[in-house]
Amino acid sequence: MVRAAVLPAVGAPLEITEIELPDPGPGQVRVRLAAAGVCHSDLSLSDGTMRVPVPAVLGHEGAGTVVSVGEGVTGLVPGAGVVLNWAPSCGSCHACSLGEVWLCANALSGSADVYARAADGTDLHPGLNVAAFAEETVVPVSCTLPLPDGIPLTDAALLGCAVLTGYGAVHHSAQVRPGETVAVFGVGGVGLSALQAARIAGASTIVAVDVSPEKEELARAAGATEYVVASENTARQIRALTGKQGVDVAVECVGRAVTIRTAWESTRRGGRTTVVGIGGKDQQVTFNALELFHWGRTLSGCVYGNSDPARDLPILAEHVRAGRLDLGSLVTERIALEGIPAAFDNMLAGKGGRALIVF
């Protein structure tokens, strides 16, 4: 029996309770969590914006230590450090055959599995495959990545989602080049990662945008050269900061229609707007045909930073070891499992960066 945060139904409060984990079966690994990040996607799963089979244990950004392995697992031994990979690629679907592993059609198929049971015998599903909001979890070996050398296990949890997403949005999706100007909308865990990635890419002007004035210090520490408090004048302010042209690249990390539209309007003619934030179906963004033609901007979605975790994790680790990427600065609160509901409230209120559950 281990303690976990269980979502009993969509829209219901999380329940901190004991669950029964089985021994790992063939191809599975049991992991003791060192830390797990509280991501906005977890909030979106709990409130129904994104669908997940319930009851479920949420949490998808985590790192820990291997406790035991099932039959057929090679290359991992008890005591090894791992980063959880919530979106493993199958290697055989159409997207995987194109090398677009972040769009794998089967990446989330494991979320429908029963992986544990509540104390009363109720079947539980692993939210986004890995169920990291628990002291321990059992996952397919494909959902683990070796902990890179020199990376503290607790900090490594952030690599599993926030950093891969924010870094990938800048380097893979938007492909920011040295000297370009960048605006990042939303200064949460992913936004802070995107700001650091823009600095690493050699961007000249880096504008951070958020509804909260209190996040300016966080944003500037991550690499922002300018800070704008979101308002109806945001696009005009960003153009004023960039010679009235607009930025070369805008990265939207919020997932709201008005923010997406503002990010697009903040981008120069011929620039690129990358949407990372996950919005609901009710968030409708509209454009007229003439402005699409006139501005010649590129608007693109971005899933998991268009990243290949197996390829990109060693690159991120090298940035960390070289001091270019600061994982600890993304964390504004370290909490226990009981602190998850308050962390959700803070996200809704636009407060802080990443909340990290430390076990």
Side-chain angles (χ1 to χ4, degrees), residues 28 131 185 324:
Q28 292 185 323
F185 289 75
R324 293 183 291 267

Side-chain angles (χ1 to χ4, degrees), residues 248-300:
D248 296 301
V249 170
V251 180
E252 199 274 355
C253 303
V254 181
R256 295 183 64 234
V258 65
T259 316
I260 294 169
R261 177 73 203 199
T262 302
W264 189 80
E265 291 176 353
S266 302
T267 309
R268 68 165 174 84
R269 194 176 188 189
R272 290 105 66 201
T273 304
T274 292
V275 178
V276 180
I278 301 172
K281 292 180 180 179
D282 60 325
Q283 295 293 312
Q284 299 292 318
V285 188
T286 60
F287 307 91
N288 66 60
L290 180 60
E291 65 180 333
L292 288 174
F293 160 77
H294 172 77
W295 289 105
R297 296 164 174 148
T298 300
L299 177 68
S300 61

Side-chain angles (χ1 to χ4, degrees), residues 1-5 17-19 21 30-35 57 63-65 67 131-137 337 359:
M1 303 293 287
V2 300
R3 294 175 70 248
T17 184
E18 288 196 334
I19 66 171
L21 277 179
R30 183 165 178 149
V31 177
R32 179 178 298 113
L33 273 295
V57 176
T65 303
V67 175
F133 286 174
E135 294 171 330
E136 296 186 10
T137 188
L337 282 172
F359 294 94

Side-chain angles (χ1 to χ4, degrees), residues 12 63 120 155 186 262:
D120 64 1
D155 289 350
T262 302

Side-chain angles (χ1 to χ4, degrees), residues 146-328:
L147 176 72
D149 293 339
I151 308 300
L153 190 56
T154 301
D155 289 350
L158 301 163
L159 295 172
C161 183
V163 181
L164 273 170
T165 301
Y167 179 90
V170 169
H171 285 266
H172 302 320
S173 180
Q175 298 182 9
V176 173
R177 298 181 289 267
E180 288 194 309
T181 55
V182 177
V184 175
F185 289 75
V187 184
V190 174
L192 288 168
S193 299
L195 289 169
Q196 291 202 46
R199 172 176 46 76
I200 291 170
S204 53
T205 299
I206 304 174
V207 185
V209 183
D210 198 274
V211 295
S212 172
E214 287 75 25
K215 290 189 179 181
E216 181 171 0
E217 184 177 349
L218 271 176
R220 290 190 180 276
T225 61
E226 309 289 345
Y227 192 81
V228 172
V229 178
S231 71
E232 60 183 14
N233 296 318
T234 295
R236 187 177 298 112
Q237 289 177 268
I238 290 175
R239 287 195 297 271
L241 292 168
T242 53
K244 299 184 179 180
Q245 297 300 310
V247 289
D248 296 301
V249 170
V251 180
E252 199 274 355
C253 303
V254 181
R256 295 183 64 234
V258 65
T259 316
I260 294 169
R261 177 73 203 199
T262 302
W264 189 80
E265 291 176 353
S266 302
T267 309
R268 68 165 174 84
R269 194 176 188 189
R272 290 105 66 201
T273 304
T274 292
V275 178
V276 180
I278 301 172
K281 292 180 180 179
D282 60 325
Q283 295 293 312
Q284 299 292 318
V285 188
T286 60
F287 307 91
N288 66 60
L290 180 60
E291 65 180 333
L292 288 174
F293 160 77
H294 172 77
W295 289 105
R297 296 164 174 148
T298 300
L299 177 68
S300 61
C302 177
V303 178
Y304 204 6
N306 292 9
S307 295
D308 178 345
R311 175 199 65 197
D312 293 335
L313 199 62
I315 296 171
L316 294 174
E318 181 55 35
H319 285 309
V320 174
R321 289 190 292 265
R324 293 183 291 267
L325 182 59
D326 183 359
L327 299 178

